[in-house]
Amino acid sequence: MQDGKRHLILIGFMGTGKSTVGKAVAELLQVPWRDTDLSLETEWGHSIPEYFKRYGENAFRQAETGMLAKCLAEKPAVITTGGGIVLHPGNRDLMIQNGYVIHLQADANTIIKRVKQDDPKRPLLAGNQVEKKVQELMQEREGYYDFADFTIDTTASSLQKIINEVVQYWQKQAV
Ligand code: S3P
């Protein structure tokens, strides 16, 4: 294991399965699971859409950076993150220095299908034209996830297969 890289961190666009995969991996590896979005919601006592409505995206990004730093300072964990955490260069540095960063990716059509099935919990995709919003955001964020140590394409993969790939990757780093 490399110096400083204590955590397993999942990044990726909305709808790539970070939280579902991370929670399952943490259970298998018997380490804590921390999710930056869920931790913020617990701290605030209200949802992310509510926070966006009250304070806006910039305030959310600052809170997200604070929560990331908090999670990284704790004992080794599987940390799952919001899709936009990679926008801030400081966040990217923090993640790559403190953990093995795995990027879960999927193609636009798969993401559109998945986010439409979810509850309306994503302020950036609220309202109509989900397809257009996903495509635009994916374009804007092109390259932002490339700093990861390892990338898994989840497009045509089963949940079990993705979980296995993450665990295998982690075990290779741990020897
Ligand atoms: C966001 C993704 C969301 C959440 C917030 C903003 C983004 O997390 O952090 O709505 O900017 O991509 P998920 O990736 O878990 O949906």
Side-chain angles (χ1 to χ4, degrees), residues 12-16 18-19 35-37 48 52 57 60-61 64 81-85 87 121-124 137 141 145:
F13 198 83
M14 294 175 264
T16 49
K18 301 173 297 275
S19 305
D35 181 271
T36 53
D37 284 343
I48 287 174
F52 265 66
E57 183 174 350
F60 171 77
R61 295 295 169 210
E64 184 175 51
T81 57
I85 205 156
L87 298 175
K121 58 175 185 181
R122 296 184 171 100
L124 296 179
L137 273 176
R141 294 184 183 174
Y145 301 95

Coordinates of all heavy atoms in Angstrom, one line a residue, residues 12-16 18-19 35-37 48 52 57 60-61 64 81-85 87 121-124 137 141 145, ligand 1:
G12 N -17.4 9.4 -9.7 CA -18.1 9.1 -11.0 C -19.3 10.0 -11.2 O -19.8 10.6 -10.2
F13 N -19.8 10.1 -12.4 CA -20.9 10.9 -12.7 C -22.1 10.4 -11.9 O -22.2 9.2 -11.5 CB -21.2 10.9 -14.2 CG -22.0 12.0 -14.7 CD1 -21.5 13.2 -15.0 CD2 -23.4 11.8 -14.9 CE1 -22.3 14.3 -15.4 CE2 -24.2 12.8 -15.3 CZ -23.7 14.1 -15.6
M14 N -23.2 11.2 -11.8 CA -24.4 10.8 -11.2 C -24.9 9.5 -11.8 O -24.8 9.4 -13.1 CB -25.5 11.9 -11.3 CG -25.2 13.2 -10.6 SD -26.4 14.5 -10.9 CE -25.6 15.4 -12.2
G15 N -25.4 8.6 -11.1 CA -26.1 7.4 -11.6 C -25.1 6.3 -12.0 O -25.5 5.4 -12.7
T16 N -23.9 6.4 -11.6 CA -22.9 5.4 -11.9 C -22.9 4.3 -10.9 O -22.1 3.3 -11.0 CB -21.5 5.9 -12.2 OG1 -21.1 6.8 -11.2 CG2 -21.4 6.6 -13.6
K18 N -22.1 4.7 -7.5 CA -21.1 4.8 -6.4 C -21.6 4.4 -5.0 O -20.9 3.6 -4.4 CB -20.6 6.3 -6.4 CG -20.1 6.8 -7.6 CD -19.8 8.3 -7.5 CE -20.9 9.2 -7.3 NZ -21.7 9.6 -8.4
S19 N -22.7 4.9 -4.6 CA -23.2 4.6 -3.2 C -23.5 3.1 -3.1 O -23.1 2.5 -2.1 CB -24.3 5.5 -2.9 OG -24.0 6.8 -3.1
D35 N -20.4 8.3 3.0 CA -20.8 9.0 1.8 C -20.9 10.5 2.0 O -21.6 10.9 3.0 CB -22.2 8.4 1.4 CG -22.7 9.0 0.1 OD1 -23.4 10.0 0.2 OD2 -22.5 8.4 -0.9
T36 N -20.2 11.2 1.2 CA -20.1 12.7 1.5 C -21.5 13.3 1.5 O -21.9 14.1 2.3 CB -19.2 13.4 0.5 OG1 -19.6 13.1 -0.8 CG2 -17.7 13.0 0.7
D37 N -22.4 12.9 0.5 CA -23.7 13.5 0.4 C -24.6 13.1 1.6 O -25.2 14.0 2.2 CB -24.4 13.0 -0.9 CG -23.9 13.7 -2.1 OD1 -23.3 14.8 -2.0 OD2 -24.2 13.2 -3.2
I48 N -30.2 17.4 0.1 CA -29.4 18.2 -0.8 C -30.2 19.2 -1.7 O -29.9 20.4 -1.8 CB -28.5 17.3 -1.7 CG1 -27.4 16.8 -0.7 CG2 -27.9 18.0 -2.9 CD1 -26.5 15.8 -1.3
F52 N -29.6 23.2 -1.9 CA -29.4 24.0 -3.1 C -30.4 25.1 -3.2 O -30.0 26.2 -3.6 CB -29.6 23.1 -4.3 CG -28.3 22.5 -4.9 CD1 -27.6 21.5 -4.2 CD2 -27.9 22.8 -6.2 CE1 -26.4 21.0 -4.7 CE2 -26.7 22.2 -6.7 CZ -26.0 21.3 -5.9
E57 N -25.6 26.4 -5.3 CA -24.5 25.4 -5.6 C -23.2 25.7 -5.0 O -22.5 24.8 -4.5 CB -24.4 25.2 -7.1 CG -23.4 24.0 -7.5 CD -23.4 23.7 -8.9 OE1 -24.2 24.1 -9.7 OE2 -22.5 22.9 -9.3
F60 N -23.0 24.7 -1.6 CA -22.9 23.2 -1.5 C -21.5 22.7 -1.8 O -21.0 21.9 -1.1 CB -23.9 22.6 -2.5 CG -23.7 21.1 -2.6 CD1 -24.2 20.3 -1.7 CD2 -23.0 20.6 -3.7 CE1 -24.0 18.9 -1.7 CE2 -22.8 19.2 -3.8 CZ -23.3 18.4 -2.8
R61 N -20.8 23.3 -2.8 CA -19.5 22.9 -3.1 C -18.5 23.1 -2.0 O -17.6 22.3 -1.7 CB -19.0 23.6 -4.4 CG -19.7 23.3 -5.7 CD -19.6 21.9 -6.1 NE -20.6 21.5 -7.2 CZ -21.1 20.4 -7.3 NH1 -20.8 19.3 -6.6 NH2 -21.9 20.1 -8.3
E64 N -19.2 20.5 0.6 CA -18.8 19.2 0.1 C -17.3 19.0 0.3 O -16.8 18.0 0.8 CB -19.1 19.2 -1.4 CG -18.8 17.9 -2.1 CD -19.3 17.9 -3.6 OE1 -19.0 18.8 -4.3 OE2 -20.0 16.9 -4.0
T81 N -18.7 9.5 -3.1 CA -18.8 11.0 -3.2 C -19.9 11.4 -4.2 O -20.3 10.6 -5.0 CB -17.4 11.4 -3.8 OG1 -17.2 10.7 -5.1 CG2 -16.3 11.1 -2.9
G82 N -20.2 12.7 -4.2 CA -21.1 13.2 -5.2 C -20.4 13.4 -6.5 O -19.2 13.6 -6.6
G83 N -21.2 13.3 -7.6 CA -20.6 13.4 -8.9 C -19.8 14.6 -9.3 O -18.9 14.6 -10.1
G84 N -20.1 15.7 -8.5 CA -19.4 17.0 -8.9 C -18.2 17.2 -8.0 O -17.6 18.3 -8.1
I85 N -17.8 16.3 -7.1 CA -16.7 16.6 -6.2 C -15.4 16.8 -6.9 O -14.5 17.4 -6.4 CB -16.6 15.4 -5.2 CG1 -16.0 15.9 -3.9 CG2 -15.9 14.2 -5.7 CD1 -16.3 15.1 -2.7
L87 N -14.9 18.6 -9.5 CA -14.7 19.9 -10.1 C -13.7 20.8 -9.5 O -13.0 21.6 -10.1 CB -16.1 20.6 -10.1 CG -17.2 19.9 -10.9 CD1 -18.5 20.6 -10.7 CD2 -16.9 19.8 -12.3
K121 N -33.9 13.3 -6.6 CA -33.0 13.8 -5.5 C -31.8 14.6 -6.0 O -30.9 14.9 -5.2 CB -32.5 12.6 -4.7 CG -31.7 11.6 -5.5 CD -31.2 10.5 -4.7 CE -30.3 9.6 -5.6 NZ -29.7 8.5 -5.0
R122 N -31.8 14.9 -7.3 CA -30.6 15.6 -7.9 C -31.0 16.9 -8.4 O -31.5 17.1 -9.5 CB -30.0 14.7 -9.0 CG -29.5 13.4 -8.4 CD -28.8 12.6 -9.5 NE -28.1 11.4 -9.0 CZ -28.6 10.2 -9.1 NH1 -29.8 10.0 -9.6 NH2 -27.9 9.2 -8.5
P123 N -30.6 18.0 -7.7 CA -31.0 19.3 -8.1 C -30.6 19.7 -9.5 O -31.2 20.5 -10.2 CB -30.4 20.3 -7.0 CG -29.5 19.4 -6.2 CD -29.9 18.0 -6.4
L124 N -29.4 19.2 -9.9 CA -28.9 19.6 -11.2 C -29.6 19.0 -12.3 O -29.5 19.4 -13.5 CB -27.4 19.3 -11.3 CG -26.4 20.0 -10.3 CD1 -25.0 19.6 -10.5 CD2 -26.5 21.5 -10.5
L137 N -23.9 18.2 -18.9 CA -23.0 18.1 -17.8 C -21.9 17.1 -18.1 O -20.7 17.3 -17.6 CB -23.8 17.6 -16.6 CG -24.4 18.7 -15.7 CD1 -25.2 18.0 -14.6 CD2 -23.4 19.6 -15.1
R141 N -17.9 18.0 -17.9 CA -17.0 17.3 -17.0 C -16.1 16.3 -17.6 O -15.4 15.5 -16.9 CB -17.9 16.6 -15.9 CG -18.7 17.5 -15.1 CD -19.4 16.9 -14.0 NE -20.2 17.8 -13.2 CZ -21.1 17.5 -12.3 NH1 -21.3 16.3 -12.0 NH2 -21.7 18.5 -11.7
Y145 N -12.6 13.2 -14.4 CA -12.5 12.0 -13.6 C -11.3 11.2 -13.9 O -11.0 10.1 -13.3 CB -13.8 11.1 -13.8 CG -15.1 11.7 -13.4 CD1 -15.9 12.4 -14.4 CD2 -15.6 11.7 -12.1 CE1 -17.1 13.0 -14.1 CE2 -16.8 12.4 -11.8 CZ -17.5 13.0 -12.8 OH -18.7 13.6 -12.5
Ligands
S3P1 C1 -24.0 16.2 -7.9 C2 -24.2 14.9 -7.7 C3 -25.0 14.4 -6.6 C4 -25.0 15.4 -5.4 C5 -25.4 16.7 -5.9 C6 -24.5 17.3 -7.0 C7 -23.2 16.6 -9.1 O1 -24.5 13.1 -6.1 O2 -23.7 15.5 -4.8 O3 -26.7 16.6 -6.3 O4 -22.8 17.8 -9.2 O5 -22.9 15.7 -10.0 P1 -24.6 11.7 -6.9 O6 -23.5 11.7 -7.9 O7 -24.5 10.7 -5.9 O8 -26.0 11.8 -7.6

